[in-house]
């Protein structure tokens, strides 16, 4: 077990479910994209977030359009998600995670399986989110890409912290490069 401190307050939240986390201002996006490729981008963003069977499609598409534009996601609300690149699908999954206006966004392996150019797109996208004031925690095996954009990092092995520091300092350390970045 562990403890969650919110804004430095111990016991500020008891989290037993995803809904508890969301109520505490925490959103998580998992490594497997859990969206439906046969639905539109807007439907994926709003699925499970509308009440009743009669969704207001015009309002949903307009809302999704605003979010896509604000975040700079190159997709249309009415576009079938499966026609989007994997990177854009991951951005849509992250945008869905942001729809509840979290203060903390936890991303599990956001670059998993992406080509280097797409990894760069995802991390650029995450930087925009960070700059908007949302705290972002990234659990990632791609150490070099993560260290380039992070403010602070913990490097863990077998559940133990083996290194910690600013991303820039860890990238500049020759021992870190040799041991963790293949340099």
């Amino acid at each position: 077990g562990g403890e969650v401190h919110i804004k430095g307050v111990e016991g500020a939240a008891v989290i037993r479910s995803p809904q508890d986390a969301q109520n505490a201002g925490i959103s998580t996006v998992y490594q497997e994209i859990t969206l439906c490729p046969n639905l539109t981008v807007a439907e994926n963003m709003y699925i499970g977030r509308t009440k009743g069977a009669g969704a207001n499609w015009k309002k949903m598409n307009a809302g999704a359009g605003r979010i896509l534009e604000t975040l700079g996601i190159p997709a249309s609300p009415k576009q079938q998600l499966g026609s989007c690149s994997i990177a854009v699908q991951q951005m849509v999954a992250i945008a869905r995670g942001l729809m509840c206006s979290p203060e903390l966004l936890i991303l599990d392996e956001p670059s998993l399986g992406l080509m280097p150019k797409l990894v760069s797109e995802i991390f650029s996208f995450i930087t925009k989110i960070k700059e908007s004031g949302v705290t972002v925690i990234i659990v990632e095996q791609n150490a070099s890409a993560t260290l380039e954009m992070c403010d602070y990092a913990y490097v863990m092995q077998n559940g133990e912290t083996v290194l910690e520091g600013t991303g820039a300092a860890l990238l500049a350390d020759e021992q870190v490069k040799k041991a963790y970045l293949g340099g």
Side-chain angles (χ1 to χ4, degrees):
E3 295 179 3
V4 176
H5 298 238
I6 297 178
K7 295 182 181 177
V9 179
E10 185 176 343
V14 176
I15 299 175
R16 293 189 179 103
S17 70
Q19 189 62 46
D20 288 346
Q22 188 173 328
N23 291 341
I26 302 168
S27 184
T28 304
V29 179
Y30 299 98
Q31 64 181 298
E32 281 88 29
I33 298 174
T34 57
L35 302 177
C36 302
N38 59 318
L39 298 178
T40 68
V41 169
E43 288 168 329
N44 272 285
M45 291 173 70
Y46 281 90
I47 195 166
R49 296 177 189 259
T50 56
K51 301 215 185 297
N56 184 331
W57 296 100
K58 187 175 180 179
K59 187 175 178 181
M60 181 176 68
N61 286 326
R66 280 191 299 277
I67 294 166
L68 295 169
E69 185 178 337
T70 299
L71 295 173
I73 300 173
S76 161
K78 295 180 181 179
Q79 181 178 359
Q80 188 175 27
L81 185 69
S83 71
C84 299
S85 72
I86 296 297
V88 169
Q89 290 182 40
Q90 182 70 316
M91 290 178 196
V92 170
I94 294 169
R96 178 177 162 72
L98 291 169
M99 287 178 65
C100 63
S101 301
E103 293 181 50
L104 172 63
L105 178 65
I106 302 169
L107 302 175
D108 180 25
E109 298 278 359
S111 72
L112 185 69
L114 297 179
M115 301 299 284
K117 179 185 180 299
L118 299 179
V119 170
S120 177
E121 284 182 39
I122 288 291
F123 280 109
S124 175
F125 178 65
I126 293 168
T127 298
K128 277 192 224 175
I129 293 167
K130 184 179 79 164
E131 289 170 351
S132 76
V134 175
T135 300
V136 180
I137 294 176
I138 302 172
V139 178
E140 178 72 63
Q141 291 184 36
N142 186 343
S144 59
T146 308
L147 290 174
E148 285 178 20
M149 56 88 59
C150 74
D151 296 324
Y152 202 82
Y154 292 89
V155 178
M156 301 180 78
Q157 282 185 324
N158 301 320
E160 300 289 327
T161 301
V162 294
L163 290 169
E164 67 176 279
T166 66
L170 292 174
L171 277 172
D173 186 305
E174 290 302 318
Q175 289 180 321
V176 171
K177 282 183 187 177
K178 193 176 240 179
Y180 300 100
L181 305 176

